[in-house]
Amino acid sequence: MNLALWTAAGLLAAVALTGGLTKTFVPREKLAAAHGGGWTGDAGDGFVRSLGVLELLAAAGLVLPAVTGVAPVLVPVTAGCWTLLMIGAMITHGRRGERAFVALNLAYLVLALVVAVGRFGPGAF
């Protein structure tokens, strides 16, 4: 169980790190032209960058507390927050008719729920 939770948290952290870096450092116009990034054309620079920073924090919060042993309860809390972020992403992509991205975000949401429930419950640190 512990290995599965670490794997899920690591995968989510990699996704969050990638998304966070692109949203934080890639110009919004370039993001809007990318596949699946069309929603950024309708959002402000500050909003997109704020999401990027939140994703960078999520990447850190999914792994670092457990690795360092400092406040490991932040791992399931971060995973719970990630589920909320994925709900927002699903709504955004759903409104744009991007069903493939809704499904992808749903998969990330399920992984985050597994980490949150597992780390709060039987796989707690």
Side-chain angles (χ1 to χ4, degrees), residues 1 18 42 60 90-92:
M1 180 67 144
T18 302
D42 301 331
M90 289 169 59
I91 291 169
T92 299

Side-chain angles (χ1 to χ4, degrees), residues 39 47 51 81-95 102 105 109:
W39 66 271
F47 179 74
L51 281 178
C81 292
W82 185 260
T83 62
L84 297 175
L85 188 64
M86 290 302 99
I87 290 169
M90 289 169 59
I91 291 169
T92 299
H93 288 294
R95 287 181 178 165
V102 172
N105 292 134
L109 182 145

Side-chain angles (χ1 to χ4, degrees), residues 35-46:
H35 181 63
W39 66 271
T40 60
D42 301 331
D45 285 336

